[in-house]
Amino acid sequence: MKMAAEQVEAMNMVKAFRVSDLQTLLASMGRSKSGLKQDLVMRALKMVQSECSPELLKSVRQLYETRFPKSAGWLAARRPEAVPVNYSSSMGSAARSLTQSSQGASDYLNGGSLPKQAVAPLAEVKLVSLPFYHTLETLLPPTELIAQNNEKLQDSQCIFELTQSQVDQIRNSTEHRPGIKSVQVVLRIVYTDSIGVQEDQYPPNIAVRVNQSFCHVPGYYPSNKPGVEPRRPCRPINITPWLHLSTTTNRVTITWGNFGKRYSVAIYLVRVFTSAELFNQLKHGSVESAERCRERIQDKLRFDPESEIATTGLRVSLICPLVKMRLGVPCRVLTCAHLQCFDAVFFLQMNEKKPTWTCPVCDKPAPFELLTIDGLLSEILKQTEEEVEEIEYLTDGSWRPIGDERDKDKDRERSNTPVYPLVDICASEVNGHSPAHSSTSQSAKSGSGSAAAPAASGVVVDLTLDDSSDEENANGGGGGGADTTDTDDSQGSPSPKRGRYNYDKDLVTAY
Ligand code: ZN
């Protein structure tokens, strides 16, 4: 027999009722209100199943809303401790019923075996915050999916209603993409684990029905192997297009594979950002001033006590390691030690498509909150020609563009490469493209306790990285730092791929 959605919903509500609710309901419909709780539940369920009048449905709903004012169907299952003691003996089955599928409800009604395991203890699951999703309201706090039987495929259901204000927020929001609102209701699924913050992780065999329609689960490709979880990163599931955008009840049914792992689900009202919007936030809220950048570079260029190599210059590529194109907006992670930047726009776009939030230079975590735009390199990019792919910060506080690697030493000797004093960069911003040549830039700075060798014969440590896998090859790159020392016979040695000293771990970790 096929039941109407309202019937299924009413039955789920009835199963959450207390004895007093059941008695009120049965009495109001002219039925006997005597008997044990189990009898009352059966009687009420049969009544809902057989004579589903609008009047009956209304009574059920009113009683339910009095009992569970927050209107999130799973709340009762989630907070067993909130239920008075005299109810606890039967609470288990009633609370579990809330997460039962309609099929399970029919089995229950037809005398099938009652679910036997207890409600899982309340776990304070914390979900990782996602830069592209700003939570406006919690519609369902993290709630564990409870298996109803030994079947591998489980259905868990919850109901919730939107308030008029939430409906308005969705309706009045701008379009995130054509046809898709920027204020959304999203479903998130994570492991049930109270330790740390949880990343989104779909269970195997996931399917989500919202008001009887299957909704799109992003990035999920069903596997033939049983129990295989979808690969991360899993995303919040936008269920908005299938919701009733009114104050009527919405029903969400999650089909999930029960292969021994525990999952919790939560529903939020969120504002979704585009990478362009995040970029705007970054641009307006997180730019490291050129002055601050200079200080940091100067600190780095003073002697590194951990290293055998006296650093006299730090080379930075102007090419984004992500897209191998010239940096547009140079960006770094505040906690990263390297000066090498990546392109903020590309980085955000990449994370919008596939959120990994990992530094493309050193592979360390790169959360959005720690991203910063490099104000100094931004200026340098404006002041250098398109062909310049690399620059070098020198100990005396200046920087210079580096042309073709093979010409580097000659360039230096001839002093025909303009050297830009760091201190003039701010001023030059006003004057455009021609910063003053610094007459002192070629002499190594004395004082500051710097034991660095003179710039002209020092070792240049290159912090650029073509590929993160190069890190392992740093020692095999033809003698490491030796390749980059100044020698006059550079034209005779076609040093393999620039002979790069790719990544000085010691130097990097020292800062
Ligand atoms: Zn890094």
Side-chain angles (χ1 to χ4, degrees):
M1 125 176 206
K2 194 165 164 59
M3 281 189 291
E6 292 83 358
Q7 258 173 305
V8 177
E9 183 189 319
M11 287 166 73
N12 277 331
M13 289 177 177
V14 164
K15 282 181 270 181
F17 281 173
R18 293 193 198 183
V19 171
S20 59
D21 303 325
L22 293 163
Q23 286 172 336
T24 308
L25 178 71
L26 289 164
S28 73
M29 300 304 291
R31 307 293 169 101
S32 163
K33 56 175 189 174
S34 64
L36 296 172
K37 184 182 178 193
Q38 209 56 53
D39 302 327
L40 300 182
V41 172
M42 283 301 186
R43 206 174 298 151
L45 286 175
K46 274 183 184 158
M47 183 169 72
V48 173
Q49 194 188 32
S50 58
E51 48 154 297
C52 189
S53 66
E55 187 197 356
L56 174 61
L57 289 177
K58 196 179 166 198
S59 302
V60 171
R61 177 174 295 274
Q62 278 173 352
L63 279 164
Y64 184 81
E65 279 168 0
T66 313
R67 177 63 59 212
F68 305 108
K70 287 286 281 180
S71 83
W74 272 337
L75 283 177
R78 188 173 171 267
R79 302 199 180 278
E81 76 276 23
V83 178
V85 177
N86 65 1
Y87 182 53
S88 61
S89 60
S90 54
M91 184 275 304
S93 62
R96 274 196 309 278
S97 311
L98 279 171
T99 54
Q100 259 184 303
S101 67
S102 55
Q103 183 58 47
S106 316
D107 288 345
Y108 178 28
L109 193 69
N110 297 329
S113 61
L114 289 170
K116 47 188 181 297
Q117 98 283 8
V119 172
L122 175 68
E124 287 301 330
V125 178
K126 291 187 196 70
L127 279 68
V128 70
S129 71
L130 302 171
F132 285 103
Y133 298 83
H134 173 64
T135 300
L136 302 171
E137 285 181 64
T138 301
L139 303 179
L140 175 75
T143 304
E144 182 157 9
L145 294 175
I146 306 288
Q148 300 301 310
N149 48 43
N150 292 327
E151 296 295 315
K152 288 299 175 202
L153 273 193
Q154 296 286 327
D155 271 358
S156 296
Q157 191 176 87
C158 92
I159 55 173
F160 69 95
E161 284 159 15
L162 295 169
T163 64
Q164 191 54 49
S165 140
Q166 290 162 347
V167 170
D168 292 343
Q169 280 185 77
I170 297 169
R171 282 190 190 282
N172 299 335
S173 67
T174 54
E175 287 200 332
H176 174 65
R177 291 203 310 270
I180 297 178
K181 290 289 187 181
S182 59
V183 173
Q184 304 176 356
V185 175
V186 297
L187 174 75
R188 296 183 65 183
I189 312 180
V190 298
Y191 288 134
T192 301
D193 189 344
S194 54
I195 299 165
V197 290
Q198 303 303 312
E199 291 181 18
D200 296 60
Q201 176 64 62
Y202 306 146
N205 307 98
I206 184 175
V208 179
R209 262 173 296 159
V210 179
N211 297 325
Q212 306 305 331
S213 299
F214 280 99
C215 79
H216 173 64
V217 178
Y220 172 57
Y221 304 100
S223 165
N224 291 329
K225 289 184 193 166
V228 173
E229 288 181 323
R231 273 199 206 163
R232 293 193 210 204
C234 299
R235 291 163 177 278
I237 302 165
N238 177 16
I239 61 174
T240 326
W242 296 273
L243 291 178
H244 301 302
L245 278 191
S246 63
T247 51
T248 35
T249 301
N250 289 290
R251 181 180 305 95
V252 179
T253 307
I254 298 157
T255 303
W256 54 287
N258 181 21
F259 292 88
K261 285 191 174 153
R262 294 167 62 197
Y263 301 92
S264 290
V265 300
I267 299 176
Y268 300 101
L269 184 73
V270 298
R271 164 75 162 90
V272 187
F273 293 111
T274 61
S275 58
E277 286 169 318
L278 281 197
F279 175 64
N280 261 329
Q281 291 175 24
L282 190 66
K283 206 170 58 177
H284 291 111
S286 186
V287 180
E288 191 171 30
S289 69
E291 187 52 47
R292 178 71 197 94
C293 292
R294 272 192 288 275
E295 286 169 20
R296 200 165 30 77
I297 293 160
Q298 291 281 62
D299 284 349
K300 245 190 208 317
L301 282 167
R302 286 192 188 110
F303 188 64
D304 172 17
E306 299 291 316
S307 172
E308 295 289 310
I309 308 159
T311 47
T312 60
L314 286 167
R315 293 172 60 179
V316 168
S317 170
L318 302 185
I319 304 299
C320 172
L322 288 170
V323 284
K324 316 291 182 201
M325 282 164 61
R326 198 166 205 265
L327 288 163
V329 183
C331 179
R332 279 180 303 104
V333 187
L334 280 173
T335 46
C336 281
H338 49 84
L339 297 173
Q340 181 62 51
C341 288
F342 46 88
D343 191 276
V345 175
F346 284 120
F347 183 74
L348 292 173
Q349 284 175 352
M350 205 183 72
N351 278 283
E352 188 176 31
K353 288 201 184 79
K354 187 184 176 193
T356 57
W357 300 105
T358 302
C359 173
V361 178
C362 71
D363 278 340
K364 285 184 185 159
F368 178 71
E369 314 83 68
L370 290 181
L371 296 183
T372 182
I373 294 173
D374 187 316
L376 177 59
L377 206 59
S378 299
E379 294 307 327
I380 290 172
L381 283 158
K382 282 182 204 158
Q383 293 163 18
T384 46
E385 299 297 327
E386 282 289 320
E387 311 85 75
V388 177
E389 296 189 349
E390 207 165 11
I391 58 120
E392 181 178 23
Y393 295 121
L394 302 169
T395 41
D396 62 2
S398 61
W399 63 272
R400 65 180 198 106
I402 294 172
D404 190 300
E405 183 73 9
R406 284 166 301 182
D407 297 334
K408 179 195 70 172
D409 303 323
K410 281 190 240 163
D411 284 351
R412 242 189 223 187
E413 265 176 21
R414 291 189 213 126
S415 294
N416 63 355
T417 313
V419 176
Y420 302 89
L422 288 174
V423 285
D424 283 349
I425 283 167
C426 278
S428 69
E429 194 180 337
V430 184
N431 301 330
H433 271 242
S434 51
H437 181 274
S438 164
S439 58
T440 60
S441 62
Q442 286 289 359
S443 58
K445 217 177 205 171
S446 56
S448 315
S450 170
S457 62
V459 175
V460 173
V461 178
D462 182 356
L463 292 180
T464 56
L465 258 186
D466 279 338
D467 184 325
S468 55
S469 65
D470 280 356
E471 207 170 322
E472 285 156 20
N473 300 331
N475 292 332
D483 274 352
T484 52
T485 45
D486 275 0
T487 48
D488 281 332
D489 58 11
S490 57
Q491 59 205 123
S493 60
S495 58
K497 177 64 184 161
R498 297 183 173 189
R500 219 165 239 205
Y501 187 105
N502 263 318
Y503 203 68
D504 187 335
K505 280 183 192 164
D506 290 334
L507 178 69
V508 164
T509 49
Y511 290 86

